[in-house]
Amino acid sequence: MPKKTLLWNDISDFARGKFDVWTGEGQHVWAEQAWEGIIQAGLADYKDEIERHIVLIRLMALVTMYREFCDLVWQEAFYREDIVSDG
């Protein structure tokens, strides 16, 4: 089975709200560029649904790192439940 790549356009609707810390687009630009790095490293490739879910877990890890950084540097607290919710 050939590998597929989970592109930003495939996940942007889901991921968009996860990176929301402030108003504006800066965090979304950063997220898209960071995801491009994930793609370039081959970490967004998958062959089946299990591997696809592993790629999505990488997205959740990226969101968590970003949100924890914002919390530590700018005291922009977040709730981890927000990362895994669909809303």
Side-chain angles (χ1 to χ4, degrees):
M1 180 183 302
K3 284 198 172 199
K4 299 177 185 176
T5 301
L6 202 58
L7 302 173
W8 182 253
N9 287 340
D10 300 328
I11 59 169
S12 62
D13 288 342
F14 176 74
R16 190 164 191 76
K18 308 294 183 214
F19 289 93
D20 286 350
V21 177
W22 305 283
T23 58
E25 292 297 313
Q27 62 245 356
H28 302 124
V29 171
W30 181 90
E32 185 173 357
Q33 291 174 346
W35 192 253
E36 186 60 34
I38 299 284
I39 291 171
Q40 293 302 317
L43 298 172
D45 295 342
Y46 65 97
K47 291 184 288 191
D48 55 33
E49 278 302 302
I50 292 173
E51 288 185 4
R52 182 177 172 276
H53 282 82
I54 292 169
V55 172
L56 290 171
I57 290 168
R58 290 183 181 124
L59 172 64
M60 298 295 99
L62 183 65
V63 171
T64 301
M65 288 187 298
Y66 178 80
R67 297 296 297 266
E68 285 184 350
F69 175 82
C70 292
D71 185 24
L72 290 170
V73 175
W74 294 290
Q75 290 77 46
E76 294 289 343
F78 76 101
Y79 301 97
R80 283 172 180 76
E81 296 82 16
D82 294 341
I83 294 173
V84 295
S85 70
D86 286 337

